[in-house]
Structures are given as structure tokens and as C-alpha cells.
Amino acid sequence: MKNIKAEVITIGDEILFGQITDTNTQFISYELSKIGIKVVRKSSVGDEEQEILQILTEASLRADVIILTGGLGPTKDDITKTTIAKFFGVGLHTHQPTLEMVSDFFIKRGREMLEVNYRQADVPQNCEVLLNKVGTAPGMWFEVDGKIYVSLPGVPYEMKYLIQEYVLNKLKTYFKTPFISHRMIHTVGMGESFLAEKIVDWENNLPSHIKLAYLPSLGIVKLRLTATGKDGEHINNELTNQEEKLVQLIQPYIFGYGEGEKLESAIGVLLTKQSLTLATAESCTGGYLAHLITSIPGSSVYYKGSVIAYSNEIKSQELGVSTTILKEKGAVSKETVKAMAEGVRLKLGTDIGIATSGIAGPDGGTTEKPVGTVWIAYADENKTVAKKFLFGSLRENNIKLAAIYALNLIRLNKRV
Amino acid sequence: MKNIKAEVITIGDEILFGQITDTNTQFISYELSKIGIKVVRKSSVGDEEQEILQILTEASLRADVIILTGGLGPTKDDITKTTIAKFFGVGLHTHQPTLEMVSDFFIKRGREMLEVNYRQADVPQNCEVLLNKVGTAPGMWFEVDGKIYVSLPGVPYEMKYLIQEYVLNKLKTYFKTPFISHRMIHTVGMGESFLAEKIVDWENNLPSHIKLAYLPSLGIVKLRLTATGKDGEHINNELTNQEEKLVQLIQPYIFGYGEGEKLESAIGVLLTKQSLTLATAESCTGGYLAHLITSIPGSSVYYKGSVIAYSNEIKSQELGVSTTILKEKGAVSKETVKAMAEGVRLKLGTDIGIATSGIAGPDGGTTEKPVGTVWIAYADENKTVAKKFLFGSLRENNIKLAAIYALNLIRLNKRV
């Protein structure tokens, strides 16, 4: 079986000059890797005809699949379409269904269509249009000399729509790619290298057509298992088998499965299933914990609110932390954080209270309590527990890690 | 004067396969553009010798400056250094100052140095080492046939350190780049196209050696003025002159100046200068407003805390919003949000209270109050004001925009 190679090309001065972050190529590479197509190079070029022609020529010598994003807007800077037509030596013609969609878009908004907007429905004669139902720039698919060229708009959600709706399936069909299946396991509370140590024997015994990838981010490590083969059912059974073995080795750290899982969603599901309500009391996380929780649609079902007690007065006045504790043990202490968790639980009348207090930095550290010291507490009707963490020196990371470990404390105490 | 062209190349499978977001190339392109060096192409290749040799050969034909990041770690995947040596046809030798720094790093941490760690001090014979004082992988600078090659570690803060500490100045000296000066103006509360309309006459009259760039992000538009010339003093005077004119046209929307400014820092400075304290009451922003405020080190001086009132009970119980108002006007209303701002101000005993209440989506919208409807209120000892916004359909954006406009409401009411 031949290895299918791809190149991803972004077109646009704003990426080239560092004015925006390019997240498109990461998405495309990741999705291609999932169907067994390997990206061998990524490039960005400006909105210049010569640059685009050159990269197209180079890429067509190296890759089987060439995916371009950007440069399809209505302004005069956007020259991708005419340049591709030139590359293939064809003219442009109007694509009627796209023209109707674009007209519709303008009619609905009561806006007048300009000449440049009509031009959005023009496409190179040799392309198959991928109808863009979430925007006005059509996606384009070209099959030339056994290679596939795809041109997509640069707007991330339009690009994602076209990739998921058309491109991946069409590539699978065209290249008769082998059956590829994935399993994603999400873990929290253990670093990549420790996790690797725990599963080293299992990993070494994996058959060669099953691969494991570690995808670490702050506080979280995702494990992706990928199996490749001809027989879908067989592959899936094997994968299920291997996944079960893996899960047994690291069960306590797993918070979820599947592609789009997040810790804050998993906590939401856990609370909803058990009909539990939650309140938070935040000092060092300063609202970030509440933000994670409320970033999930529908979180108002289980989340009642938070008291962000950035000052000691608020800790005692609003959360009932005794001034003696604050004076004798300090704001960053087991006693304070426990009192905060219990206080907010009683105050907001919820089943669970979570509290954070720590030294996010860069200032405020002492020898005894250096920057990165964080206490997190969990309180419910039966118990109150607190845990101390020592994170690093970066304020932003300390805040984010504290919020993740606070969510994890709910999971550790309430998982079934 | 010759145009200096640059290419930026990232090396590493984890970027190529979409497992991490590449932010390095954006940073490098942006910094190069500030000293008048134009990035004409960006590329990513894997940790493969042939790929790296090929891209180096190609880039050396197109660009005057080639900057590589990644592939300098101690593991066997990291082959950038030996590949560059091969590209230049030279051997490696040990760089003594780097070896001492690496040894020091290990001694301080009480860890044993392995063979691979000694290798970190090896560099191609033709390079000038850029001493990396924040990590163990040295930066490398090569001058070959009138072109500059720079190899930097992929760890973002190490790369940034080396760029700012050495690379930019060395490039300016080597290429005798013209004098370039910048002014950055940060605005909030007006979209890019409206802003452009307000300053169109001024912009059209800019001399050709002064350029204006719009750098929009969610709720914020940064304007960057860049002047190029031989006489630094003259350029700076001209820029000051043009900046003054620009500022007069858009004064009410400006919250700050300079490269690293943020709205949340500007608010912090404003409150600190006036010795004012702040409390927030958040419904739809769910903690994100507090998070922005507390992301600034030292914010505890002016920020006392927040009540996140996600449920109506909390709004009335903790913030004193009357149940009649909640029932008759609803949680997303002028009356509720005003009562929240006043309530939190009194409760936490601060000079200013800010409140948000809205429908972040995706659910909860009605014909009268569609998703994206947000009320924001400001209260101080003299007055309470509220403002209604209609943002879009994306939950994440609605939350972030509401927090930005809430900060802006402080600015509008308290600027001097």
C-alpha cells in the first residue's frame, strides 16, 4: 500500500506577516493524519501570484494531496482562484448553485450585491465545487494527473465545515485509503513521562499496525490509539481489546473518551447524572475555574455560582473564614481553603463546594510558600478534603493548572 | 535599498501532524516585520534529514535570512544540528561556555548528566553561538555567502529570548537596515471598518514612508504606525506628529499605547492611579471578567472579588436583586443588571461595581432577547448606568466580548 503524502498551504499576507495565528493547518494536518494521510510539509505564502504558482508547482512534485486555504474572499487581495485557474491553464466560469446561495445571503440581509460578490461564484472550469453552506466562498476540488488539489476559504469555521462535510470522505474514496480507526483516552493528574512508565510493557507489546500517540497539554494528557488495516471489524475488535488493557492500567486518571471531550464537560455530565449542584470559591484562580465550568452550554443546571474572594476581608465576610485562621495559618493554607469550600457550599446552598487559594505569582512567594503553591479543597455533606500542589513560576499556568486540578478533585470524589 | 527577504522554517513532527499549535512563526514574522524584514514564506517540515536539507536548499535560493526553530532537543528525534552541519559541509565541535551552562543546570538540580546532555553543547564548526541563558539548547548564527541562517530551539520562551536578546540586533547590524520606528495604539468599542472610515482622510494623506496596519482581534483593534527612513530623529518626529493627528480623530476609543498593552492592564492602572476599588457581579460572563482582571499581577490592590450569580436565587439572595424585578423584567434586563452592579458594590464595599447578564447561547434565546443579547452595568457612588449589546451566536465570543465591554465601561466612566 502506497503512503499518501499531503501538503497544506496557507495563502495570505496576514499570516505571513504574523498578524494572525494560523490554526487552520493544525486542524487540517490532524484530520488528515486520522485518515492515514501524512502531511509532509506545510507552507505559508503571501497573496502574490508568483508565490502561489511557485508553491503549487513545488508541492505537486512532492505530494499526492495539496490543500490550500485562504485568498478566496471578495477583495482584490484575494487572488487564489484566478491563480489556480492559471496554474491549470483553464478559464473561470460561474457556478450557478453558488451564485444562488450568495444572492440568497445578500437578499436575506437586505444588502446590495456588488460586482465583487458576483465574482465569488466564479470557479476554475476544471473544478468540482464543494458547496459552502456556511459562507460565500465555494470550496474547490481538482483531480489532475492522479493528484488531488483542494482550495478552501481561510475562515476557520468555513474551512472546517468543508473538510468534515466533503474533503475527508472524498479523499478516502479517491485513494482507497485503508480502514483506520481511533480511540482517544483523556487523562488528568499524571504527567506524560509517568504515564508512559506505567504503560511501557503494554506499549512495547502493541502490534505494529496499532500506534499510540501522546498529546499533552497543560495538566492533561490525551492518548490516541490508531489502528490501520483492511478489515474494519477486525481492526475495531483489536482496538477495543487493546483499549481495555490500557484503561485498566491507568483507570484512576481517565476522565473521558472520544475526540471532543473536555474535563469541564465530563464534570458537567457527572454532576447532572447524580443531580448534584456545585458552587465555587476562588482566590488564586480568580474566576478562571468558574469560566471553565460556565464555558459549557447548559452548565446553569448544576452550577449555581461563585464567590471570588480575592481579598481576605471577602474571605471572612462572605465565606465565613475565621479571622483567626487567616491570621494564624494565612490565606494560602489547608484551614483557609477548607473553610472557603464549606463556606461557599453553605452560602449558595449547593451539594458541593470547591475552593482554591494559592500564590499565582510573580510576586507574593516566600521560602515557606513559594510562587506556585496552591491549596484546593472539596466539601460535600459528608466530608471536606484539601490538597496542596506546587506548580511552577508562570502566573498564567498556575491559574490554569489550579482550575484543572480543582475540577479533578470533584471527579476524584464523585466518580462512580 | 534592497528588500531583505526572510523565510521561517519550523522543524518537528508534532507541528507537522497537527499535535501542537505553532505560535513561533507568528512571533518571528511579526518581529522581523518590525525591523523591515519581510517574510516571504513559512514552512514546516518533519524531523527528517532529507526534508530539512531540501527546505534549506530551497530557502537559500529565495531568501536572505533563514530562521529555523525546533529539533534542537536532546532526544534522537532532534536532528537539526547535525543536518545543518551536513548542509554546510562542516563538522561539530563542543562549545565550552554552553557546556558549562548545561553542566551548571544539571548540578543545580542534582541530576546526573547523560551522554545526550553533553551533546547539547556540540555545534557546527562554522556557527556563532547565541548563548541561551534560559534553556539548554544553544542558538546558532551562520553567515554564509552573504546570507544569514539562524537555528533556534522550538520552546517558545527560549526562542523569544534568543530573538530579542541577539537575533534582531544582529540582523539590523548585518543588513544595515534602515531606521524603522513604530507606534501602537489600542482601541476598543469600534469595529475595524468604522474606525477606517473615521480616519480615511488622514490615512490617505500619510506620506509613503509611513504605513498604517490594522490588527483586529475580538472587540479590540490595534493600529500600528510604521515609519522607515535614514534619519532616526526625523522619522520619530514625523511619527509623533502623525500619531497626534490620529489620536485626535479616535481619542474616545483609545485605551492604551505601546506594544504589550492590554485592556485589563489599562483598567488596573486607571484604578490604581485613582485609588479606586472594584467588585464584579457576573452572570453570562461566568467568571471570565474576573479572570481577565486577575490575570494582571498585583490586581489584588484594586480588585476585591466577585459574585458569580449564575442562578436567579443567587442574584436575589447574594446581590439583592428584587424577585419582582427578576420576575417582571427577567434576568437579562436593564433593571436586573443595574441592581446586580449596585448590589455587589455595596456587598463587597468597593468604589465601583460592574455587572453582566445576558444570553451567551447556544440555547436560551427568544425573539425578544435573542442569543447574544447582553446587558452590562456600572455603578459607583454617584450613578448607575447600563448598556445593552447584541453580539453574535457563538457562546465563547459572546462571553469574551461581554467581558471586554464590561472593562470598557469602567474606562468610559472613570478615565480622566
Side-chain angles (χ1 to χ4, degrees):
Chain A
M1 195 177 59
K2 190 183 167 243
N3 265 328
I4 320 278
K5 293 182 192 169
E7 294 209 20
V8 183
I9 300 165
T10 57
I11 297 170
D13 288 342
E14 62 292 1
I15 287 177
L16 210 54
F17 301 163
Q19 293 172 357
I20 62 169
T21 307
D22 164 33
T23 54
N24 283 358
T25 51
Q26 180 181 10
F27 176 85
I28 294 171
S29 311
Y30 190 76
E31 292 300 316
L32 290 179
S33 80
K34 288 200 310 194
I35 61 166
I37 295 179
K38 188 175 171 181
V39 173
V40 294
R41 190 178 296 192
K42 296 182 189 177
S43 312
S44 296
V45 297
D47 297 305
E48 303 273 350
E49 189 179 275
Q50 275 316 308
E51 298 285 325
I52 300 172
L53 288 174
Q54 195 187 339
I55 189 82
L56 275 171
T57 307
E58 291 170 21
S60 67
L61 296 173
R62 286 184 300 241
D64 310 294
V65 180
I66 293 123
I67 299 190
L68 302 103
T69 70
L72 297 181
T75 69
K76 64 173 191 256
D77 297 344
D78 293 311
I79 57 164
T80 301
K81 219 156 47 178
T82 50
T83 309
I84 292 177
K86 197 166 192 174
F87 176 72
F88 290 125
V90 301
L92 295 174
H93 65 177
T94 302
H95 184 247
Q96 215 51 42
T98 298
L99 186 60
E100 280 159 27
M101 279 194 47
V102 175
S103 311
D104 218 47
F105 178 92
F106 279 84
I107 289 164
K108 274 191 187 145
R109 280 157 186 79
R111 279 162 52 187
E112 194 196 344
M113 244 176 104
L114 305 173
E115 178 60 22
V116 291
N117 303 120
Y118 284 101
R119 293 283 78 78
Q120 293 218 265
D122 289 356
V123 297
Q125 279 157 341
N126 64 336
C127 92
E128 179 187 335
V129 167
L130 311 175
L131 208 61
N132 180 358
K133 293 185 183 156
V134 298
T136 53
M140 292 171 280
W141 171 276
F142 305 84
E143 301 181 3
V144 179
D145 299 335
K147 291 178 188 291
I148 297 298
Y149 301 77
V150 183
S151 168
L152 303 171
V155 181
Y157 75 86
E158 297 184 29
M159 177 279 298
K160 285 182 188 175
Y161 168 82
L162 292 167
I163 287 277
Q164 284 165 335
E165 191 72 15
Y166 308 103
V167 179
L168 296 175
N169 279 330
K170 285 177 75 74
L171 287 174
K172 282 197 263 187
T173 309
Y174 186 87
F175 288 107
K176 302 179 185 65
T177 55
F179 188 84
I180 294 192
S181 192
H182 300 274
R183 301 295 157 84
M184 186 78 97
I185 300 176
H186 301 253
T187 74
V188 59
M190 185 176 265
E192 184 182 357
S193 50
F194 291 95
L195 215 49
E197 224 175 273
K198 270 206 176 293
I199 62 178
V200 61
D201 291 339
W202 166 84
E203 190 177 354
N204 287 339
N205 286 318
L206 277 178
S208 66
H209 62 288
I210 301 189
K211 305 276 181 204
L212 176 73
Y214 292 82
L215 309 171
S217 56
L218 205 65
I220 305 266
V221 179
K222 294 190 275 186
L223 297 172
R224 190 179 65 176
L225 270 177
T226 303
T228 314
K230 280 179 188 158
D231 179 348
E233 201 184 324
H234 178 68
I235 285 297
N236 262 324
N237 288 341
E238 270 197 303
L239 214 44
T240 303
N241 195 354
Q242 291 296 347
E243 189 185 17
E244 274 171 14
K245 287 186 195 165
L246 173 57
V247 166
Q248 281 194 350
L249 295 170
I250 53 168
Q251 182 88 63
Y253 307 99
I254 298 173
F255 68 81
Y257 302 88
E259 195 62 43
E261 180 68 307
K262 284 177 176 181
L263 182 57
E264 50 272 32
S265 323
I267 297 302
V269 171
L270 183 154
L271 294 173
T272 308
K273 273 194 183 157
Q274 298 178 53
S275 302
L276 295 169
T277 55
L278 172 69
T280 53
E282 304 186 48
S283 182
C284 68
T285 46
Y288 188 73
L289 173 56
H291 168 59
L292 282 186
I293 296 167
T294 59
S295 70
I296 304 302
S299 47
S300 56
V301 171
Y302 48 86
Y303 187 60
K304 295 302 156 196
S306 180
V307 173
I308 300 176
Y310 224 54
S311 75
N312 279 352
E313 304 104 270
I314 312 293
K315 286 188 186 78
S316 56
Q317 179 192 310
E318 296 302 323
L319 296 167
V321 182
S322 90
T323 47
T324 321
I325 284 181
L326 284 169
K327 207 173 158 190
E328 286 176 7
K329 306 288 179 178
V332 180
S333 66
K334 192 202 304 199
E335 291 76 7
T336 295
V337 80
K338 278 183 157 186
M340 286 170 68
E342 289 167 359
V344 81
R345 181 181 167 265
L346 288 177
K347 190 180 184 78
L348 303 195
T350 57
D351 299 305
I352 299 168
I354 292 284
T356 64
S357 187
I359 299 150
D363 304 316
T366 62
T367 323
E368 215 182 316
K369 295 176 185 175
V371 166
T373 307
V374 175
W375 276 98
I376 303 176
Y378 164 96
D380 64 21
E381 59 173 345
N382 300 313
K383 65 175 173 197
T384 304
V385 290
K387 215 176 154 200
K388 186 182 172 179
F389 296 86
L390 185 56
F391 303 129
S393 58
L394 292 176
R395 181 179 183 84
E396 192 187 330
N397 286 4
N398 290 336
I399 291 172
K400 291 186 172 169
L401 282 167
I404 288 169
Y405 282 99
L407 291 174
N408 194 34
L409 209 53
I410 304 175
R411 185 184 72 87
L412 294 174
N413 281 286
K414 280 297 173 191
R415 68 184 154 182
V416 276
Chain B
M1 196 178 56
K2 188 183 168 246
N3 265 329
I4 319 279
K5 292 182 191 170
E7 293 209 20
V8 183
I9 299 165
T10 57
I11 297 170
D13 289 341
E14 62 291 1
I15 287 177
L16 210 54
F17 301 163
Q19 294 173 356
I20 61 169
T21 308
D22 164 32
T23 54
N24 282 357
T25 51
Q26 180 181 10
F27 176 84
I28 295 170
S29 311
Y30 189 77
E31 292 299 316
L32 290 180
S33 80
K34 288 200 310 194
I35 61 167
I37 294 178
K38 189 174 170 180
V39 173
V40 293
R41 190 177 296 191
K42 296 182 189 178
S43 311
S44 296
V45 297
D47 297 306
E48 303 273 349
E49 190 179 274
Q50 275 316 309
E51 297 285 324
I52 300 172
L53 288 174
Q54 195 188 342
I55 188 81
L56 276 171
T57 307
E58 290 170 21
S60 67
L61 296 173
R62 287 184 299 241
D64 310 294
V65 180
I66 292 123
I67 298 189
L68 301 104
T69 69
L72 297 181
T75 68
K76 64 173 191 255
D77 297 345
D78 294 311
I79 58 164
T80 301
K81 220 155 48 178
T82 50
T83 309
I84 292 178
K86 197 166 193 175
F87 176 72
F88 290 125
V90 300
L92 296 174
H93 66 177
T94 302
H95 184 247
Q96 215 50 45
T98 298
L99 185 60
E100 280 160 29
M101 279 193 46
V102 175
S103 311
D104 218 46
F105 178 92
F106 278 84
I107 289 165
K108 273 190 188 146
R109 281 157 184 79
R111 279 163 52 189
E112 195 196 343
M113 246 176 105
L114 306 174
E115 178 60 23
V116 290
N117 303 122
Y118 283 100
R119 294 283 77 80
Q120 294 218 263
D122 289 354
V123 297
Q125 279 158 341
N126 64 335
C127 91
E128 178 185 337
V129 168
L130 311 175
L131 207 61
N132 180 357
K133 294 185 183 157
V134 299
T136 54
M140 291 170 281
W141 171 278
F142 305 84
E143 301 181 3
V144 178
D145 298 336
K147 291 178 188 291
I148 297 298
Y149 301 76
V150 183
S151 169
L152 304 171
V155 180
Y157 74 86
E158 297 184 27
M159 177 279 297
K160 285 182 186 173
Y161 168 82
L162 292 168
I163 288 276
Q164 284 165 333
E165 191 72 15
Y166 307 102
V167 178
L168 296 174
N169 279 330
K170 286 176 74 75
L171 287 174
K172 281 197 262 187
T173 309
Y174 185 88
F175 289 106
K176 300 179 187 67
T177 53
F179 188 85
I180 294 191
S181 192
H182 301 275
R183 300 295 158 83
M184 185 79 97
I185 300 176
H186 302 254
T187 74
V188 59
M190 185 175 264
E192 184 181 357
S193 50
F194 291 95
L195 216 49
E197 224 176 274
K198 272 209 174 288
I199 62 178
V200 60
D201 291 339
W202 166 83
E203 189 176 355
N204 287 338
N205 285 318
L206 276 179
S208 65
H209 62 288
I210 301 189
K211 305 276 181 207
L212 176 73
Y214 292 83
L215 309 171
S217 56
L218 205 65
I220 306 268
V221 179
K222 295 190 275 186
L223 297 172
R224 190 180 65 176
L225 271 175
T226 304
T228 313
K230 281 180 186 157
D231 179 347
E233 200 184 324
H234 177 69
I235 285 295
N236 262 324
N237 288 340
E238 269 196 304
L239 213 44
T240 303
N241 195 354
Q242 291 295 347
E243 190 185 16
E244 274 171 15
K245 287 184 196 164
L246 173 57
V247 166
Q248 282 193 350
L249 296 170
I250 53 169
Q251 182 87 65
Y253 306 99
I254 298 173
F255 68 81
Y257 302 89
E259 194 63 44
E261 180 68 306
K262 285 178 176 178
L263 182 56
E264 50 272 32
S265 323
I267 298 302
V269 170
L270 183 155
L271 295 173
T272 309
K273 273 193 183 157
Q274 298 179 53
S275 302
L276 295 169
T277 55
L278 172 68
T280 53
E282 304 186 49
S283 183
C284 68
T285 46
Y288 189 73
L289 173 56
H291 168 59
L292 282 186
I293 296 167
T294 60
S295 69
I296 304 303
S299 47
S300 57
V301 171
Y302 47 86
Y303 187 59
K304 295 302 157 198
S306 181
V307 173
I308 300 176
Y310 225 54
S311 75
N312 279 353
E313 305 103 271
I314 312 292
K315 287 188 186 77
S316 57
Q317 179 192 312
E318 297 301 323
L319 296 167
V321 182
S322 90
T323 46
T324 320
I325 285 181
L326 283 169
K327 207 172 157 189
E328 286 176 8
K329 307 287 179 178
V332 180
S333 67
K334 192 204 303 202
E335 292 76 8
T336 296
V337 79
K338 278 183 158 185
M340 287 171 68
E342 289 167 0
V344 81
R345 180 180 168 266
L346 288 176
K347 188 179 186 76
L348 303 194
T350 56
D351 299 303
I352 299 168
I354 291 284
T356 64
S357 187
I359 299 149
D363 304 316
T366 62
T367 322
E368 214 183 316
K369 294 175 184 174
V371 166
T373 307
V374 175
W375 276 98
I376 303 176
Y378 164 96
D380 64 20
E381 58 173 345
N382 301 314
K383 65 174 174 199
T384 303
V385 290
K387 214 173 157 205
K388 185 183 173 180
F389 297 86
L390 184 57
F391 302 129
S393 59
L394 293 175
R395 181 178 182 85
E396 191 188 332
N397 286 3
N398 290 337
I399 290 171
K400 291 186 172 170
L401 282 168
I404 288 168
Y405 282 99
L407 291 174
N408 195 34
L409 209 54
I410 303 176
R411 186 184 72 86
L412 293 174
N413 282 286
K414 280 297 175 189
R415 69 184 154 183
V416 279

